[in-house]
Amino acid sequence: MNILQEIQSELKAPKGQRNNFGNYSYRSAEDILTAVKPLLKKHGASLILTDALVALEGRIFVKATAVLHHDGGTPFTADGFAEHAVTKKGMDQAQITGSASSYARKYALNGLLCIDDTKDPDATNTHGKGEPSYKKKTQTLDGLI
């Protein structure tokens, strides 16, 4: 078993956050990082997260990349994306960027560490805006970068 498989199989990242308004639990990027750090130490690995802004079809996204480094091996990588809103009620530009970064990093970590969020409310919660996002037709980001 390779190091990534070992970390993936040992990782327990419970949904430690609660949204009382939407009545659901969720995990944040910070929850995932807290859970994975002891495993990285145990297996002599390190995890690096980076962000970049990318433009796709006139829209701006934060692209987060998670890279797992380990002794003597090729690094493992995964990307996550979140749209960077121009404005968001109650947030300044730094907060908007930070929110998009956290969201993108969470999904990069999910991809790298095989964390399944299909039951995560982000997949089904419409926040009162119509049908769930997973039912809407979406354009894939594959091939656009």
Side-chain angles (χ1 to χ4, degrees), residues 17-91:
Q17 308 297 319
R18 183 80 183 153
N19 181 314
N20 291 324
F21 177 75
N23 197 29
Y24 59 84
S25 297
Y26 65 97
R27 76 179 57 82
S28 66
E30 292 80 10
D31 293 330
I32 296 168
L33 291 170
T34 298
V36 79
K37 284 178 182 179
L39 299 175
L40 294 171
K41 184 175 181 179
K42 174 183 174 183
H43 293 285
S46 61
L47 182 63
I48 297 173
L49 294 167
T50 59
D51 292 337
L53 293 176
V54 295
L56 301 171
E57 297 186 4
R59 294 162 54 192
I60 304 296
F61 291 84
V62 174
K63 174 186 176 186
T65 301
V67 183
L68 180 76
H69 294 274
H70 55 100
D71 292 336
T74 303
F76 298 98
T77 66
D79 296 323
F81 292 84
E83 188 165 3
H84 187 288
V86 176
T87 62
K88 199 162 189 174
K89 186 177 179 179
M91 289 186 167

